[in-house]
Amino acid sequence: MTETFRHSGEYHQQQSSAPVPPGGTQGAFPPPPAYAPEAPQPPAPERRRRARGPVALLAAVAIAAAAVGGGTAFAVQTLTDKDGGSSATSTDVVPTSKKGTVSGVAEAVSPSIVEISATTGQGKSTGSGVITKSDGEIITNNHVISGATSIKVRTNDGKTYDAEVVGTDSKKDLALIQLKDASGLKPATLGNSGNVKVGDEVVAIGSPEGLTGTVTSGIISALDRDVTVSTGEGQEQPQSPGGGWPFEFGGQEFNGNTGSSKTTYKALQTDASLNPGNSGGALIDMNGNIIGINSAMYSPSSSSQGSGESASGSVGLGFAIPIDTVKDDLSKLRSGSKT
């Protein structure tokens, strides 16, 4: 680069024009070399400016990153944070603008929850289910479809499908059913119940008393509650006037007799309102991830003029099968196992 500022012959011309003293000695008047080294100086600032180009670019990038730093940090947290509100998943189903709101959870997850009507030799039962695949794979409670001769499913948009049982696990009170000729459905995001904490806010969505898409909210009240349910066929039939499914908790029976064939699982306890028909529906964290499958609720009864019992509805004592238990069982259910 410095050569561009030194023209050929520049200093030779200065030599030829300088006077030569007598005797021919030229050493007394040598060509002026003092200015030659200064020739490279002018381009030096230009070179420094060019060298600063990448630095300036990096500085601009840093400034831009600082300007969106909040959003960038949130995006990284969304993908890596193991807390995320309650379920410790890497997915935020609820839009950022509605994150942490019941309405946001309801809007995002309701399309993934269905109503299930099962017909058995003893009558009909109504429950709920969670879509796990876009082609109509649905997880629900075993007691919702146990002994069913036909199953009808209504999705959030009002469409009705026939369904068949794929697999059952009565020991965990879980069942997998498949809709016929279904496509384009919205599968739910299965979260991680391992990091759920007491006090975490939750939303429940199901079809209590056939009221499709009913939304309630509350908190996680306790963890690892021992809940016992029947494993025999016919358990889907209401065994109390209020229509609740029979289960045992704390050494007592609720909603009828669980019978001699039963199983116990560790459940999440919630005060979100659950009623008959919520069985098989979703318990959801505030990011929109499914953290449990609602399975049992306590509804105290009182006598009415000696004519029997009348249920008083939910009192905020409900139970859900942790979603980690469901995920561990999915491959077995998908294989067609029916136990």
Side-chain angles (χ1 to χ4, degrees), residues 196-200 202 218-227 249 265-272 274 283 291 294-296 298 315-322:
V196 171
K197 301 178 181 63
V198 173
D200 282 347
V202 291
I219 63 169
I220 294 295
S221 304
L223 306 174
D224 299 326
R225 294 298 201 194
D226 289 328
V227 173
F249 173 70
Y265 57 82
K266 298 288 185 180
L268 302 174
Q269 182 182 327
T270 180
D271 68 349
L274 302 180
L283 190 65
I291 58 169
N294 298 321
S295 57
Y298 167 59
V315 292
L317 192 58
F319 303 93
I321 301 169

Side-chain angles (χ1 to χ4, degrees), residues 55-65:
V55 177
L57 177 60
L58 290 174
V61 171
I63 292 172

Side-chain angles (χ1 to χ4, degrees), residues 87-207:
S87 72
T89 69
S90 60
T91 303
D92 275 353
V93 182
V94 180
T96 302
S97 61
K98 298 182 179 180
K99 185 179 179 182
T101 66
V102 175
S103 60
V105 173
E107 181 179 346
V109 185
S110 288
S112 302
I113 312 302
V114 303
E115 177 185 304
I116 300 174
S117 298
T119 301
T120 71
Q122 298 174 309
K124 293 184 178 181
S125 66
T126 300
S128 305
V130 177
I131 299 172
T132 51
K133 285 187 177 181
S134 60
D135 64 355
E137 180 187 83
I138 293 170
I139 191 75
T140 186
N141 287 141
N142 178 63
H143 73 250
V144 172
I145 54 85
S146 180
T149 54
S150 70
I151 301 172
K152 297 282 186 181
V153 172
R154 182 167 62 174
T155 54
N156 180 257
D157 59 6
K159 294 182 179 178
T160 301
Y161 298 86
D162 290 323
E164 59 185 4
V165 177
V166 176
T168 59
D169 187 345
S170 60
K171 295 294 183 183
K172 296 180 179 178
D173 195 19
L174 293 172
L176 197 67
I177 64 175
Q178 177 68 48
L179 304 188
K180 298 179 180 179
D181 302 320
S183 63
L185 302 182
K186 182 180 180 180
T189 300
L190 305 185
N192 180 355
S193 55
N195 282 11
V196 171
K197 301 178 181 63
V198 173
D200 282 347
E201 293 180 279
V202 291
V203 173
I205 303 179
S207 299

Side-chain angles (χ1 to χ4, degrees), residues 115 126-127 154 206-214 276-278:
E115 177 185 304
T126 300
R154 182 167 62 174
S207 299
E209 308 294 351
L211 300 174
T212 306
T214 295
N278 272 115

